[in-house]
Amino acid sequence: MAFFDVGPGLQLELIQPNEEPSTWREFLDEHGEGVHHLAFNVAGMNMQQAVDNCKEFGMTLEQKGEYGSGDGRYAYLSATKDLKVLIELLESDKK
């Protein structure tokens, strides 16, 4: 994994999955190399409400969890039908 801050509010993540099961391994096996997801910070919005909003647009929740020491949450939603990528929502409790 490599993370690059390329501008205010813009980060590029390069991820090379290993052979262990993961959303990244599954994508690589099914589609080859390419854009896996676009991430959006949902600061100031309830994560569940953000997920529900995406579902209203036809996206389906694929995976969710916490990161760090439990001070943040993420959700991957499939938007592959319309956008050809997954959407990642990020919510952090850190100020």
Side-chain angles (χ1 to χ4, degrees), residues 17-93:
N18 58 23
E19 295 303 319
E20 295 298 317
S22 69
T23 185
W24 308 294
R25 168 53 50 198
E26 182 180 315
F27 180 89
L28 184 62
D29 290 346
E30 288 183 23
H31 306 283
E33 296 174 346
V35 175
H36 176 266
H37 70 274
L38 300 174
F40 297 92
N41 186 322
V42 295
M45 181 186 303
N46 174 277
M47 174 62 89
Q48 187 57 55
Q49 184 61 52
V51 169
D52 291 344
N53 290 348
C54 289
K55 286 181 177 180
E56 287 179 17
F57 284 98
M59 298 179 206
T60 56
L61 181 64
E62 300 292 318
Q63 181 181 337
K64 68 178 182 175
E66 295 185 348
Y67 59 86
S69 58
D71 57 355
R73 283 147 298 288
Y74 71 92
Y76 279 120
L77 294 113
S78 177
T80 54
K81 179 181 172 207
D82 296 319
L83 303 176
K84 310 298 183 222
V85 297
L86 294 173
I87 298 296
E88 180 183 22
L89 303 178
L90 298 166
E91 178 183 50
S92 178
D93 298 331

